[in-house]
Amino acid sequence: LKKTQQPTVFFTFIRTFLKQSLKINYEFTYDELKKELDKHRLRKGVKEELVDFLMEIEDARFSHEMNAKELNTLLDEFKKIIQSI
């Protein structure tokens, strides 16, 4: 992958993972994701962490090219969120 494609691929992976995990059959917005997360029993604060995380990725995806270190940091953050679900 080209460096400019990495954040988009990462973002797509995260959204696809959430769609499959939460059984969402449409391209969700952040507000829709919040509603979908309300349907699932999650540890307190996980929903907010997840939505904040997705917003952070989207902001990064459009604001600048991300280097490997930034992508790894985001991946580690996502792993922590997923482990707490």
Side-chain angles (χ1 to χ4, degrees):
L1 290 176
K2 294 179 182 178
K3 278 190 172 188
T4 56
Q5 294 173 313
Q6 290 174 348
T8 300
V9 170
F10 181 68
F11 182 76
T12 301
F13 166 78
I14 300 297
R15 288 185 69 92
T16 301
F17 175 85
L18 291 171
K19 284 175 68 172
Q20 291 176 353
S21 298
L22 301 173
K23 296 176 177 54
I24 300 173
N25 297 318
Y26 58 91
E27 293 299 318
F28 54 82
T29 64
Y30 294 115
D31 288 333
E32 291 167 335
L33 177 60
K34 288 178 191 177
K35 289 177 186 174
E36 291 291 338
L37 291 171
D38 285 338
K39 297 176 185 177
H40 299 272
R41 289 189 157 174
L42 300 174
R43 182 183 55 77
K44 186 177 180 179
V46 171
K47 177 176 85 167
E48 292 78 13
E49 287 177 37
L50 197 48
V51 171
D52 289 348
F53 174 76
L54 289 173
M55 289 172 55
E56 180 181 345
I57 290 175
E58 186 157 310
D59 288 346
R61 184 175 84 162
F62 292 112
S63 65
H64 67 284
E65 287 185 26
M66 297 176 70
N67 62 39
K69 184 178 178 180
E70 289 173 307
L71 284 172
N72 284 332
T73 299
L74 288 173
L75 182 58
D76 288 343
E77 187 177 337
F78 184 65
K79 286 179 190 176
K80 289 176 188 174
I81 293 169
I82 295 305
Q83 289 172 351
S84 67
I85 292 179

Coordinates of all heavy atoms in Angstrom, one line a residue:
L1 N 0.8 -1.2 0.0 CA 0.0 0.0 0.0 C 0.9 1.3 0.0 O 1.9 1.3 0.6 CB -0.9 0.1 1.3 CG -2.0 -0.9 1.4 CD1 -2.6 -0.7 2.8 CD2 -3.0 -0.8 0.3
K2 N 0.4 2.3 -0.7 CA 1.0 3.5 -0.6 C 0.7 4.2 0.7 O -0.3 3.9 1.3 CB 0.5 4.5 -1.7 CG 0.9 4.0 -3.1 CD 0.3 4.9 -4.2 CE 0.6 4.4 -5.5 NZ 0.1 5.3 -6.6
K3 N 1.6 5.0 1.2 CA 1.4 5.7 2.5 C 0.1 6.4 2.5 O -0.5 6.5 3.6 CB 2.6 6.6 2.8 CG 3.8 6.0 3.4 CD 4.8 7.0 3.9 CE 5.9 6.3 4.6 NZ 6.7 7.3 5.3
T4 N -0.3 7.0 1.4 CA -1.5 7.8 1.4 C -2.7 7.0 1.5 O -3.8 7.4 1.9 CB -1.6 8.7 0.1 OG1 -1.5 7.8 -1.0 CG2 -0.5 9.7 0.1
Q5 N -2.6 5.7 1.2 CA -3.8 4.8 1.2 C -3.9 4.1 2.6 O -5.0 3.7 3.0 CB -3.6 3.6 0.2 CG -3.7 4.1 -1.2 CD -3.3 3.0 -2.2 OE1 -2.4 2.3 -2.0 NE2 -4.2 2.8 -3.2
Q6 N -2.9 4.1 3.4 CA -2.9 3.3 4.7 C -4.0 3.8 5.6 O -4.7 3.0 6.2 CB -1.5 3.4 5.3 CG -0.5 2.6 4.6 CD 0.9 2.7 5.2 OE1 1.2 3.6 6.0 NE2 1.8 1.9 4.7
P7 N -4.1 5.1 5.9 CA -5.2 5.5 6.8 C -6.6 5.1 6.3 O -7.5 4.7 7.1 CB -5.1 7.0 6.9 CG -3.7 7.3 6.5 CD -3.3 6.2 5.5
T8 N -6.8 5.2 5.0 CA -8.1 4.9 4.4 C -8.4 3.4 4.6 O -9.5 3.0 5.0 CB -8.2 5.3 2.9 OG1 -8.0 6.7 2.9 CG2 -9.6 4.9 2.3
V9 N -7.4 2.6 4.3 CA -7.5 1.1 4.5 C -7.8 0.8 6.0 O -8.6 0.0 6.3 CB -6.3 0.4 3.9 CG1 -6.3 -1.1 4.3 CG2 -6.2 0.6 2.4
F10 N -7.0 1.4 6.8 CA -7.2 1.2 8.3 C -8.6 1.6 8.7 O -9.3 0.8 9.4 CB -6.2 2.0 9.1 CG -6.2 1.8 10.5 CD1 -5.9 0.6 11.1 CD2 -6.6 2.9 11.3 CE1 -5.9 0.5 12.5 CE2 -6.7 2.7 12.7 CZ -6.3 1.5 13.3
F11 N -9.1 2.7 8.3 CA -10.4 3.2 8.6 C -11.5 2.2 8.1 O -12.4 1.9 8.8 CB -10.6 4.6 8.1 CG -11.9 5.2 8.4 CD1 -12.2 5.7 9.7 CD2 -13.0 5.2 7.5 CE1 -13.4 6.2 10.0 CE2 -14.2 5.8 7.8 CZ -14.4 6.3 9.0
T12 N -11.3 1.8 6.9 CA -12.2 0.8 6.3 C -12.3 -0.5 7.1 O -13.3 -1.1 7.3 CB -11.9 0.6 4.8 OG1 -11.9 1.8 4.1 CG2 -12.8 -0.4 4.2
F13 N -11.1 -0.9 7.5 CA -11.0 -2.2 8.3 C -11.8 -2.0 9.6 O -12.5 -2.9 10.0 CB -9.5 -2.5 8.6 CG -9.4 -3.5 9.7 CD1 -9.6 -4.9 9.4 CD2 -9.0 -3.1 11.0 CE1 -9.4 -5.8 10.4 CE2 -8.9 -4.1 12.0 CZ -9.1 -5.4 11.7
I14 N -11.6 -0.9 10.3 CA -12.3 -0.7 11.6 C -13.8 -0.7 11.4 O -14.5 -1.3 12.1 CB -11.8 0.6 12.2 CG1 -10.3 0.6 12.5 CG2 -12.6 0.9 13.5 CD1 -9.8 -0.4 13.5
R15 N -14.3 0.1 10.4 CA -15.7 0.2 10.1 C -16.3 -1.2 9.7 O -17.3 -1.6 10.2 CB -16.0 1.2 9.0 CG -15.8 2.6 9.5 CD -16.2 3.6 8.5 NE -17.6 3.6 8.2 CZ -18.5 4.4 8.8 NH1 -18.1 5.3 9.7 NH2 -19.8 4.4 8.5
T16 N -15.5 -2.0 8.9 CA -16.0 -3.3 8.5 C -16.1 -4.2 9.7 O -17.0 -5.0 9.9 CB -15.1 -3.9 7.4 OG1 -15.1 -3.0 6.3 CG2 -15.5 -5.3 7.0
F17 N -15.1 -4.1 10.6 CA -15.1 -5.0 11.8 C -16.3 -4.6 12.6 O -17.0 -5.5 13.1 CB -13.8 -4.7 12.6 CG -13.8 -5.4 13.9 CD1 -13.3 -6.7 14.0 CD2 -14.2 -4.8 15.0 CE1 -13.3 -7.4 15.2 CE2 -14.2 -5.4 16.3 CZ -13.8 -6.7 16.3
L18 N -16.6 -3.4 12.8 CA -17.7 -3.0 13.6 C -19.0 -3.4 13.0 O -20.0 -3.9 13.7 CB -17.7 -1.5 13.9 CG -16.6 -1.0 14.8 CD1 -16.5 0.5 14.8 CD2 -16.8 -1.5 16.2
K19 N -19.1 -3.2 11.7 CA -20.3 -3.6 11.0 C -20.6 -5.1 11.2 O -21.7 -5.5 11.5 CB -20.2 -3.3 9.5 CG -20.4 -1.8 9.1 CD -20.2 -1.6 7.7 CE -21.3 -2.2 6.8 NZ -21.3 -1.8 5.4
Q20 N -19.6 -5.9 11.0 CA -19.8 -7.4 11.2 C -20.0 -7.7 12.7 O -20.9 -8.6 12.9 CB -18.5 -8.1 10.6 CG -18.4 -8.0 9.2 CD -17.2 -8.7 8.6 OE1 -16.3 -9.1 9.3 NE2 -17.1 -8.7 7.3
S21 N -19.3 -7.1 13.6 CA -19.4 -7.5 15.0 C -20.8 -7.1 15.5 O -21.4 -7.8 16.4 CB -18.3 -6.8 15.8 OG -17.1 -7.2 15.4
L22 N -21.3 -5.9 15.1 CA -22.5 -5.4 15.6 C -23.7 -5.7 14.7 O -24.8 -5.3 14.9 CB -22.4 -3.9 15.8 CG -21.3 -3.4 16.7 CD1 -21.2 -1.9 16.7 CD2 -21.6 -3.9 18.1
K23 N -23.4 -6.5 13.6 CA -24.4 -6.9 12.6 C -25.2 -5.7 12.1 O -26.4 -5.6 12.1 CB -25.4 -7.9 13.3 CG -24.7 -9.2 13.6 CD -25.6 -10.1 14.3 CE -25.0 -11.5 14.6 NZ -23.8 -11.5 15.4
I24 N -24.4 -4.7 11.6 CA -25.0 -3.5 11.0 C -24.9 -3.7 9.5 O -23.8 -4.0 8.9 CB -24.2 -2.2 11.4 CG1 -24.2 -2.1 12.9 CG2 -24.7 -1.0 10.7 CD1 -23.3 -1.0 13.4
N25 N -26.0 -3.5 8.8 CA -26.0 -3.8 7.3 C -26.1 -2.5 6.5 O -26.7 -2.6 5.4 CB -27.2 -4.7 7.0 CG -27.1 -6.1 7.7 OD1 -26.0 -6.6 7.7 ND2 -28.2 -6.6 8.3
Y26 N -25.6 -1.5 7.0 CA -25.6 -0.2 6.2 C -24.4 0.6 6.6 O -23.7 0.3 7.6 CB -26.9 0.6 6.5 CG -27.1 0.9 7.9 CD1 -26.7 2.1 8.5 CD2 -27.8 0.0 8.8 CE1 -26.9 2.4 9.8 CE2 -28.0 0.3 10.1 CZ -27.5 1.5 10.6 OH -27.7 1.8 11.9
E27 N -24.1 1.6 5.8 CA -23.0 2.5 6.2 C -23.4 3.5 7.2 O -24.2 4.4 6.9 CB -22.5 3.3 4.9 CG -21.8 2.4 3.9 CD -20.6 1.7 4.4 OE1 -19.8 2.4 5.1 OE2 -20.4 0.5 4.0
F28 N -23.0 3.3 8.4 CA -23.5 4.1 9.6 C -22.7 5.4 9.7 O -21.6 5.6 9.4 CB -23.4 3.3 10.8 CG -22.0 2.7 11.1 CD1 -21.0 3.5 11.7 CD2 -21.7 1.4 10.8 CE1 -19.8 3.0 12.0 CE2 -20.4 0.9 11.1 CZ -19.5 1.7 11.7
T29 N -23.5 6.4 10.3 CA -22.9 7.7 10.7 C -22.5 7.5 12.2 O -22.9 6.5 12.8 CB -23.9 8.8 10.6 OG1 -25.0 8.5 11.5 CG2 -24.4 9.0 9.2
Y30 N -21.9 8.5 12.8 CA -21.5 8.4 14.2 C -22.8 8.3 15.1 O -22.9 7.6 16.0 CB -20.6 9.5 14.6 CG -19.3 9.5 13.9 CD1 -18.9 10.4 13.0 CD2 -18.5 8.4 14.1 CE1 -17.7 10.3 12.4 CE2 -17.2 8.3 13.5 CZ -16.9 9.3 12.6 OH -15.7 9.2 12.0
D31 N -23.8 9.1 14.7 CA -25.0 9.1 15.5 C -25.7 7.7 15.4 O -26.2 7.2 16.4 CB -26.0 10.2 15.0 CG -25.5 11.6 15.4 OD1 -24.8 11.7 16.5 OD2 -25.9 12.5 14.7
E32 N -25.7 7.1 14.2 CA -26.3 5.8 14.0 C -25.5 4.8 14.8 O -26.1 3.8 15.3 CB -26.4 5.5 12.5 CG -27.4 6.3 11.7 CD -27.2 6.2 10.2 OE1 -26.1 5.9 9.7 OE2 -28.2 6.4 9.6
L33 N -24.2 4.9 14.8 CA -23.4 4.0 15.5 C -23.7 4.0 17.0 O -23.8 3.0 17.7 CB -21.9 4.2 15.3 CG -20.9 3.3 16.1 CD1 -21.1 1.9 15.8 CD2 -19.5 3.8 15.8
K34 N -23.9 5.2 17.5 CA -24.2 5.4 18.9 C -25.5 4.6 19.2 O -25.6 3.9 20.2 CB -24.4 6.9 19.3 CG -23.1 7.6 19.4 CD -23.3 9.1 19.7 CE -22.1 9.9 19.5 NZ -22.4 11.3 19.7
K35 N -26.5 4.8 18.3 CA -27.8 4.1 18.5 C -27.6 2.6 18.5 O -28.2 1.8 19.2 CB -28.8 4.6 17.5 CG -29.3 6.0 17.7 CD -30.2 6.4 16.7 CE -30.5 7.9 16.8 NZ -31.3 8.5 15.7
E36 N -26.8 2.1 17.5 CA -26.5 0.7 17.4 C -25.8 0.2 18.7 O -26.1 -0.9 19.2 CB -25.7 0.4 16.2 CG -26.4 0.6 14.9 CD -27.5 -0.5 14.6 OE1 -27.5 -1.6 15.2 OE2 -28.4 -0.1 13.8
L37 N -24.9 0.9 19.2 CA -24.1 0.5 20.4 C -25.1 0.5 21.6 O -24.8 -0.3 22.5 CB -23.0 1.5 20.7 CG -21.8 1.3 19.7 CD1 -20.8 2.5 19.9 CD2 -21.1 0.0 19.7
D38 N -26.1 1.3 21.6 CA -27.1 1.2 22.7 C -27.8 -0.1 22.8 O -28.3 -0.5 23.8 CB -28.1 2.4 22.6 CG -27.5 3.7 22.9 OD1 -26.5 3.8 23.7 OD2 -28.1 4.7 22.5
K39 N -27.9 -0.8 21.6 CA -28.6 -2.1 21.6 C -27.7 -3.2 22.2 O -28.3 -4.3 22.4 CB -28.9 -2.4 20.1 CG -29.8 -1.5 19.4 CD -30.0 -1.9 18.0 CE -30.9 -0.8 17.2 NZ -31.0 -1.2 15.8
H40 N -26.5 -2.9 22.4 CA -25.6 -4.0 22.9 C -25.1 -3.6 24.4 O -25.0 -2.4 24.7 CB -24.3 -4.1 22.0 CG -24.7 -4.5 20.6 ND1 -24.8 -5.8 20.3 CD2 -25.0 -3.7 19.5 CE1 -25.1 -5.8 19.0 NE2 -25.2 -4.6 18.5
R41 N -25.0 -4.6 25.2 CA -24.5 -4.4 26.5 C -23.0 -4.2 26.5 O -22.2 -5.1 26.1 CB -24.8 -5.6 27.4 CG -26.2 -5.7 27.7 CD -26.4 -6.8 28.7 NE -27.7 -6.5 29.4 CZ -28.2 -7.3 30.3 NH1 -27.6 -8.4 30.6 NH2 -29.3 -7.0 30.9
L42 N -22.6 -3.0 26.8 CA -21.1 -2.7 26.8 C -20.7 -2.1 28.2 O -21.6 -1.5 28.9 CB -20.8 -1.6 25.7 CG -21.2 -2.0 24.3 CD1 -20.9 -0.8 23.4 CD2 -20.3 -3.1 23.8
R43 N -19.5 -2.3 28.5 CA -19.0 -1.8 29.7 C -19.1 -0.3 29.7 O -19.0 0.4 28.6 CB -17.5 -2.2 29.9 CG -16.8 -1.7 31.1 CD -15.3 -2.0 31.2 NE -14.6 -1.6 30.1 CZ -14.2 -0.3 29.9 NH1 -14.5 0.6 30.8 NH2 -13.4 0.0 28.9
K44 N -19.4 0.3 30.8 CA -19.6 1.8 30.9 C -18.4 2.5 30.3 O -17.2 2.2 30.5 CB -19.7 2.2 32.4 CG -20.1 3.6 32.6 CD -20.2 4.0 34.0 CE -20.6 5.4 34.2 NZ -20.8 5.8 35.6
G45 N -18.7 3.4 29.4 CA -17.7 4.3 28.7 C -17.2 3.7 27.4 O -16.6 4.5 26.7
V46 N -17.4 2.4 27.1 CA -16.9 1.9 25.9 C -17.5 2.5 24.7 O -16.8 2.8 23.7 CB -17.1 0.3 25.9 CG1 -16.7 -0.3 24.5 CG2 -16.3 -0.3 26.9
K47 N -18.8 2.7 24.7 CA -19.5 3.4 23.6 C -18.8 4.7 23.2 O -18.5 5.0 22.1 CB -21.0 3.6 23.8 CG -21.7 4.3 22.7 CD -23.2 4.3 23.0 CE -23.5 5.5 23.8 NZ -24.9 5.9 23.9
E48 N -18.6 5.5 24.2 CA -18.0 6.8 24.0 C -16.6 6.7 23.5 O -16.2 7.4 22.6 CB -18.1 7.7 25.3 CG -19.5 8.1 25.8 CD -20.3 7.0 26.4 OE1 -19.7 5.9 26.8 OE2 -21.5 7.1 26.6
E49 N -15.8 5.8 24.1 CA -14.5 5.5 23.6 C -14.4 5.2 22.2 O -13.6 5.7 21.4 CB -13.8 4.4 24.4 CG -13.4 4.8 25.9 CD -12.9 3.6 26.6 OE1 -12.1 2.8 26.0 OE2 -13.1 3.4 27.8
L50 N -15.3 4.3 21.8 CA -15.4 3.8 20.4 C -15.7 4.9 19.4 O -15.1 5.1 18.4 CB -16.4 2.6 20.3 CG -16.3 1.7 19.1 CD1 -14.9 1.3 18.8 CD2 -17.2 0.6 19.3
V51 N -16.7 5.7 19.8 CA -17.2 6.8 18.9 C -16.1 7.8 18.8 O -15.8 8.3 17.7 CB -18.5 7.4 19.4 CG1 -18.8 8.6 18.6 CG2 -19.6 6.3 19.2
D52 N -15.5 8.2 19.9 CA -14.4 9.1 19.9 C -13.2 8.6 19.1 O -12.6 9.4 18.3 CB -13.9 9.4 21.4 CG -14.9 10.2 22.2 OD1 -15.8 10.8 21.6 OD2 -14.7 10.3 23.4
F53 N -12.9 7.3 19.2 CA -11.8 6.7 18.4 C -12.1 6.9 16.9 O -11.2 7.2 16.2 CB -11.7 5.3 18.9 CG -10.7 4.5 18.0 CD1 -9.3 4.7 18.2 CD2 -11.1 3.6 17.1 CE1 -8.4 4.0 17.4 CE2 -10.2 2.9 16.3 CZ -8.8 3.1 16.5
L54 N -13.3 6.5 16.5 CA -13.7 6.6 15.1 C -13.6 8.1 14.6 O -13.1 8.3 13.5 CB -15.1 6.1 14.8 CG -15.2 4.6 15.0 CD1 -16.6 4.1 14.9 CD2 -14.3 3.9 13.9
M55 N -14.0 9.0 15.4 CA -13.9 10.4 15.0 C -12.4 10.8 14.9 O -12.1 11.5 13.9 CB -14.6 11.3 16.0 CG -16.1 11.1 15.9 SD -17.1 11.9 17.2 CE -16.6 13.6 17.1
E56 N -11.6 10.3 15.8 CA -10.2 10.6 15.7 C -9.5 10.1 14.4 O -8.7 10.7 13.8 CB -9.5 10.0 16.9 CG -8.0 10.2 17.0 CD -7.4 9.5 18.3 OE1 -8.1 9.1 19.2 OE2 -6.2 9.4 18.3
I57 N -9.9 8.8 14.1 CA -9.4 8.2 12.8 C -9.8 9.0 11.6 O -9.0 9.3 10.7 CB -9.8 6.8 12.7 CG1 -9.2 5.9 13.7 CG2 -9.5 6.2 11.3 CD1 -9.7 4.5 13.7
E58 N -11.1 9.4 11.6 CA -11.6 10.1 10.4 C -10.9 11.5 10.3 O -10.5 11.9 9.2 CB -13.1 10.3 10.5 CG -13.6 10.9 9.2 CD -15.1 10.6 8.9 OE1 -15.5 9.4 9.0 OE2 -15.8 11.5 8.7
D59 N -10.7 12.2 11.4 CA -10.1 13.5 11.4 C -8.6 13.3 10.9 O -8.2 14.1 10.0 CB -10.0 14.1 12.8 CG -11.4 14.6 13.3 OD1 -12.3 14.7 12.4 OD2 -11.5 14.8 14.5
A60 N -7.9 12.3 11.4 CA -6.6 12.0 10.9 C -6.5 11.6 9.5 O -5.6 12.1 8.7 CB -5.9 10.9 11.8
R61 N -7.5 10.9 9.0 CA -7.5 10.4 7.6 C -7.6 11.6 6.7 O -7.0 11.6 5.6 CB -8.7 9.5 7.4 CG -8.8 8.9 6.1 CD -9.9 7.9 6.0 NE -11.1 8.6 5.7 CZ -12.2 8.0 5.2 NH1 -12.3 6.8 5.0 NH2 -13.3 8.7 5.0
F62 N -8.3 12.6 7.0 CA -8.5 13.8 6.1 C -7.6 14.9 6.4 O -7.4 15.8 5.6 CB -10.0 14.3 6.2 CG -10.9 13.3 5.6 CD1 -11.8 12.6 6.4 CD2 -10.9 13.0 4.2 CE1 -12.7 11.7 5.9 CE2 -11.8 12.1 3.7 CZ -12.7 11.4 4.5
S63 N -6.9 14.9 7.6 CA -6.1 16.1 7.9 C -4.7 16.0 7.4 O -4.0 17.0 7.1 CB -6.2 16.4 9.4 OG -5.6 15.3 10.1
H64 N -4.1 14.8 7.4 CA -2.7 14.6 7.0 C -2.4 13.2 6.7 O -3.2 12.3 7.1 CB -1.8 15.1 8.1 CG -1.9 14.3 9.4 ND1 -2.9 14.3 10.3 CD2 -1.0 13.4 9.9 CE1 -2.7 13.5 11.3 NE2 -1.5 12.9 11.1
E65 N -1.3 13.0 6.1 CA -0.8 11.6 5.9 C -0.3 11.1 7.3 O 0.3 11.8 8.1 CB 0.4 11.6 5.0 CG 0.0 11.8 3.5 CD 1.2 11.6 2.6 OE1 2.2 10.9 2.9 OE2 1.2 12.3 1.5
M66 N -0.6 9.8 7.5 CA -0.2 9.2 8.8 C 1.0 8.3 8.6 O 1.0 7.6 7.6 CB -1.4 8.4 9.3 CG -2.6 9.2 9.7 SD -4.0 8.2 10.2 CE -3.4 7.7 11.8
N67 N 1.9 8.4 9.5 CA 3.1 7.5 9.4 C 2.8 6.2 10.1 O 1.7 6.0 10.8 CB 4.3 8.2 9.9 CG 4.2 8.6 11.4 OD1 3.6 7.8 12.2 ND2 4.7 9.7 11.8
A68 N 3.7 5.3 10.0 CA 3.5 3.9 10.6 C 3.3 4.0 12.1 O 2.5 3.2 12.7 CB 4.7 3.0 10.2
K69 N 4.1 4.9 12.7 CA 4.0 5.0 14.2 C 2.6 5.4 14.6 O 2.0 4.9 15.5 CB 5.0 6.0 14.7 CG 5.1 6.1 16.2 CD 6.1 7.0 16.6 CE 6.1 7.2 18.2 NZ 7.2 8.1 18.7
E70 N 2.0 6.4 13.9 CA 0.7 6.9 14.2 C -0.4 5.8 14.0 O -1.3 5.6 14.8 CB 0.3 8.1 13.3 CG 1.0 9.4 13.7 CD 0.8 10.5 12.7 OE1 1.0 10.3 11.5 OE2 0.4 11.6 13.2
L71 N -0.2 5.0 12.9 CA -1.2 3.9 12.6 C -1.1 2.9 13.7 O -2.1 2.3 14.1 CB -0.9 3.3 11.2 CG -1.4 4.2 10.0 CD1 -0.9 3.6 8.7 CD2 -2.9 4.3 10.0
N72 N 0.2 2.5 14.1 CA 0.3 1.5 15.2 C -0.3 2.0 16.5 O -0.9 1.2 17.2 CB 1.8 1.2 15.3 CG 2.3 0.3 14.2 OD1 1.6 -0.5 13.6 ND2 3.6 0.4 13.9
T73 N -0.1 3.3 16.8 CA -0.7 3.8 18.0 C -2.2 3.7 18.0 O -2.9 3.3 18.9 CB -0.3 5.3 18.2 OG1 1.1 5.4 18.3 CG2 -1.0 5.9 19.4
L74 N -2.8 4.0 16.8 CA -4.3 3.9 16.7 C -4.7 2.4 16.7 O -5.7 2.1 17.3 CB -4.7 4.5 15.4 CG -4.7 6.0 15.3 CD1 -5.0 6.5 13.9 CD2 -5.7 6.7 16.3
L75 N -3.9 1.6 16.1 CA -4.3 0.1 16.2 C -4.2 -0.4 17.6 O -5.1 -1.1 18.1 CB -3.3 -0.7 15.3 CG -3.6 -2.2 15.2 CD1 -5.0 -2.5 14.7 CD2 -2.5 -2.8 14.4
D76 N -3.2 0.0 18.4 CA -3.1 -0.4 19.8 C -4.3 0.2 20.6 O -4.9 -0.5 21.4 CB -1.8 0.2 20.4 CG -0.6 -0.6 19.9 OD1 -0.7 -1.7 19.4 OD2 0.5 0.0 20.1
E77 N -4.7 1.4 20.3 CA -5.9 2.0 21.0 C -7.1 1.2 20.6 O -8.0 0.9 21.5 CB -6.0 3.4 20.5 CG -7.1 4.2 21.3 CD -7.1 5.7 20.8 OE1 -6.1 6.2 20.3 OE2 -8.2 6.3 21.0
F78 N -7.3 0.8 19.4 CA -8.5 0.0 19.0 C -8.5 -1.3 19.7 O -9.5 -1.8 20.1 CB -8.5 -0.1 17.5 CG -9.7 -0.8 17.0 CD1 -11.0 -0.3 17.1 CD2 -9.6 -2.1 16.3 CE1 -12.1 -0.9 16.6 CE2 -10.7 -2.7 15.9 CZ -12.0 -2.1 16.0
K79 N -7.3 -2.0 19.8 CA -7.2 -3.3 20.4 C -7.7 -3.2 21.9 O -8.4 -4.0 22.4 CB -5.8 -3.8 20.4 CG -5.3 -4.3 19.1 CD -3.8 -4.7 19.2 CE -3.2 -5.1 17.9 NZ -1.8 -5.4 18.0
K80 N -7.3 -2.1 22.6 CA -7.7 -1.9 24.0 C -9.2 -1.7 24.1 O -9.8 -2.3 25.0 CB -7.0 -0.7 24.6 CG -5.5 -0.9 24.8 CD -4.9 0.4 25.3 CE -3.4 0.2 25.4 NZ -2.7 1.4 25.8
I81 N -9.8 -1.0 23.1 CA -11.2 -0.8 23.1 C -11.9 -2.1 22.9 O -12.9 -2.5 23.6 CB -11.7 0.2 22.1 CG1 -11.1 1.6 22.5 CG2 -13.2 0.3 22.0 CD1 -11.3 2.7 21.4
I82 N -11.5 -2.9 21.9 CA -12.1 -4.2 21.6 C -12.0 -5.2 22.8 O -12.9 -5.9 23.0 CB -11.5 -4.8 20.3 CG1 -11.8 -3.9 19.1 CG2 -12.0 -6.2 20.1 CD1 -13.3 -3.6 18.9
Q83 N -10.9 -5.2 23.4 CA -10.7 -6.1 24.6 C -11.6 -5.7 25.7 O -12.0 -6.6 26.5 CB -9.2 -6.0 25.0 CG -8.3 -6.7 24.0 CD -6.8 -6.5 24.4 OE1 -6.5 -5.8 25.3 NE2 -6.0 -7.2 23.7
S84 N -12.1 -4.5 25.8 CA -12.9 -4.1 26.9 C -14.4 -4.3 26.6 O -15.3 -4.2 27.4 CB -12.7 -2.6 27.2 OG -13.1 -1.8 26.2
I85 N -14.7 -4.7 25.4 CA -16.1 -5.0 25.0 C -16.6 -6.3 25.6 O -15.9 -7.2 25.6 CB -16.3 -5.0 23.4 CG1 -16.1 -3.5 23.0 CG2 -17.6 -5.5 23.0 CD1 -16.2 -3.4 21.5

